[in-house]
Amino acid sequence: MRDYAKELKNRVDFIRGLLKESGAKGIVFGNSGGKDSALVGILCKKACDNVLGVIMPCQSKRNFGEDRDDGIDLAQQFGIETIQVDLSEAKAAVTSAIQPVASISDQAGANIAPRLRMTTLYTIAQSRGCLVAGTGNRSEAYMGYFTKWGDGAYDLNPISDLTVTEIYEFLRFLDAPSNIITKAPSAGLFEGQTDEAEMGVTYTQIDEFIRNGTGDPDAVAKIKAAHARTEHKRRPARMYGKDTSAK
C-alpha cells in the first residue's frame, strides 16, 4: 500500500506549483458525487482555498438523487464551495438540433453529457480566472473508459497515476463520506448504468492486470481489447507537419 500521508503532501505541492506557475486564481472541478471527483476535490481544497465544485445533473435520475446528495456531503465535510448547473435542457437542445440532419448513435448521445459538463467547467473557470481539474484515474485511462473532449479534458489531473483500488485506499485515509466509497461506480450517463457492467470487467480485474499483467483469461482478453480499441483516445491529436515527414 502507498504511503498516503506522503502522497497527500506531494499531490498538494503539485497542485500549488501549477497554480503558481499558471498565475491562476483557483480551481474548478466537476463534483459528480463519485470516488474520483471526491479525491480530486479534497486534494484541491487542501492545496488552495479558492476551489469550486460544480454539480452538473443531466437527465439521469441518479444525477438528481444519490450522486447529487453525495457531492453535497463531500462539499460540506471538506468546506468546498459548490454550485449546481442543470444541463438537462442543454442536452435536449443539442440533441434536437442534430437529429433532423444526422443520426445519433446511443454511445454518441450518451457522450453529449460529459462534453457539455466540460464546456460548463471551462466557461466557469475562465470567467473566474481558474484552472480546470480533471478526475480520471489510471484504470479508466487504460481501458479508454472516458469521453474524449469530455472528462478527458482538463488543465491538471492530480490522480491520473492512481488505480481505482488506490483511489479507494486514499479516500479511506482521508475519511471521505462512506457512501462514495461503497456505492457502485457509475458515470450516470443513463438509467441503471454502472462502470463495471458497461466495461464487462471489474476494477479489481483491471487493476490486477495493470499491476501484475495477470488475471482471469476472459477478463484479460477484454482488457487488452478495450485498451487496443481506445488507443486513439490516449494519443495527442495528429497534426500535419509533426506526424508526417517531408519527402
Side-chain angles (χ1 to χ4, degrees), residues 45-58:
K45 182 62 179 180
K46 288 183 179 294
C48 171
D49 287 334
N50 184 17
V51 176
L52 178 68
V54 187
I55 296 174
M56 295 172 283
C58 187

Side-chain angles (χ1 to χ4, degrees), residues 220-231:
V220 169
K222 290 179 181 179
I223 293 166
K224 288 182 175 179
H227 183 74
R229 185 173 62 250
T230 59
E231 180 58 31

Side-chain angles (χ1 to χ4, degrees), residues 203-244:
Y203 281 118
T204 299
Q205 291 170 323
I206 296 167
D207 292 354
E208 179 187 353
F209 180 75
I210 290 174
R211 288 194 307 269
N212 306 315
T214 59
D216 173 78
D218 289 340
V220 169
K222 290 179 181 179
I223 293 166
K224 288 182 175 179
H227 183 74
R229 185 173 62 250
T230 59
E231 180 58 31
H232 68 98
K233 290 186 175 185
R234 291 177 293 273
R235 284 199 308 254
R238 308 298 292 272
M239 294 183 286
Y240 184 84
K242 290 189 176 181
D243 295 319
T244 58

Side-chain angles (χ1 to χ4, degrees), residues 84-98:
Q84 176 175 303
V85 180
D86 185 347
L87 296 176
S88 301
E89 290 186 8
K91 182 180 178 183
V94 170
T95 301
S96 64
I98 295 172

Side-chain angles (χ1 to χ4, degrees), residues 73-195:
D73 286 347
L74 175 83
Q76 290 177 342
Q77 181 175 335
F78 291 93
I80 300 170
E81 180 186 358
T82 302
I83 61 173
Q84 176 175 303
V85 180
D86 185 347
L87 296 176
S88 301
E89 290 186 8
K91 182 180 178 183
V94 170
T95 301
S96 64
I98 295 172
Q99 281 179 329
V101 295
S103 177
I104 301 175
S105 70
D106 290 343
Q107 189 63 60
N111 281 333
I112 292 173
R115 290 179 174 132
L116 284 174
R117 287 176 175 135
M118 194 51 64
T119 297
T120 302
L121 292 178
Y122 268 98
T123 300
I124 294 170
Q126 183 176 2
S127 300
R128 292 167 62 101
C130 293
L131 299 178
V132 172
T135 59
N137 62 61
R138 182 182 178 188
S139 306
E140 291 164 355
Y142 192 88
M143 293 292 289
Y145 191 68
F146 61 91
T147 300
K148 199 170 184 177
W149 314 126
D151 53 320
Y154 44 78
D155 296 313
L156 71 148
N157 185 336
I159 67 166
S160 60
D161 64 318
L162 296 173
T163 65
V164 168
T165 300
E166 292 164 336
I167 295 286
Y168 284 130
E169 289 173 353
F170 211 156
L171 287 172
R172 292 187 184 96
F173 170 80
L174 294 166
D175 194 29
S178 59
N179 193 49
I180 291 176
I181 297 172
T182 58
K183 71 179 179 180
S186 170
L189 300 181
F190 51 86
E191 301 302 338
Q193 184 264 347
T194 65
D195 296 352

